[in-house]
Amino acid sequence: MSSEEKPSIGTYRRHVLLCTGPRCSARSDPEALFQQLGEMLGAAGLNRGDLRVKRTRSGCFAACKGGPIMCVQPDGVWYYQLTPENLQRVVEEHLRDGAVVEPLVFHRGPGV
C-alpha cells in the first residue's frame, strides 16, 4: 500500500465536460464560453454544496459538427451549438431544474 496521500475532489451532483479544442474554436471562443459557464453556474447557485456542478475543459470529442459540444454526466446527455444563450438554457433548465433541453441534444449515452 502506498504511503502517498490520495487526491480528493469535493462533492458534486453533475460533471460537465466542455470541448475547448481547436476545431470548435473556429465558430466561437471556447475559453470564453468555459469562463461564462463558471459564472452561470455561480449565478444559479450550482458552484457549491450538494447541487455543485463540476466543470472540466476537454479536448476534441471527435463530434465537431455543430460545436462547441458539452457532455453532462452522469446523465449521458450531449449538447451542441453552445452559444452563450444556449449554454444559459442548459444551465437553468437542465443543470438547475433537471429538464433536458431537447432541441440542443444530439446524443445520449448508453442506458440513458
Side-chain angles (χ1 to χ4, degrees):
M1 184 154 178
S2 172
S3 63
E4 293 182 29
E5 187 174 331
K6 289 183 180 180
S8 65
I9 296 175
T11 301
Y12 60 92
R13 183 177 194 179
R14 289 188 174 96
H15 187 181
V16 297
L17 302 133
L18 179 66
C19 179
T20 57
R23 291 185 189 175
C24 289
S25 65
R27 289 182 288 281
S28 68
D29 180 352
E31 187 56 37
L33 200 60
F34 186 80
Q35 295 306 320
Q36 289 172 343
L37 174 59
E39 294 165 8
M40 291 174 188
L41 292 173
L46 299 174
N47 60 341
R48 63 191 168 285
D50 291 340
L51 298 178
R52 178 177 169 240
V53 175
K54 180 173 174 45
R55 67 188 171 113
T56 300
R57 290 172 188 87
S58 176
C60 186
F61 286 128
C64 300
K65 290 182 181 175
I69 304 291
M70 184 171 78
C71 179
V72 178
Q73 294 296 350
D75 304 357
V77 175
W78 292 73
Y79 289 107
Y80 73 120
Q81 296 181 347
L82 288 175
T83 63
E85 296 78 18
N86 287 344
L87 185 60
Q88 186 70 47
R89 283 191 67 193
V90 171
V91 168
E92 292 175 358
E93 296 175 32
H94 184 162
L95 302 178
R96 185 189 66 200
D97 299 339
V100 174
V101 185
E102 294 295 342
L104 302 177
V105 173
F106 79 95
H107 181 75
R108 291 182 183 260
V112 178

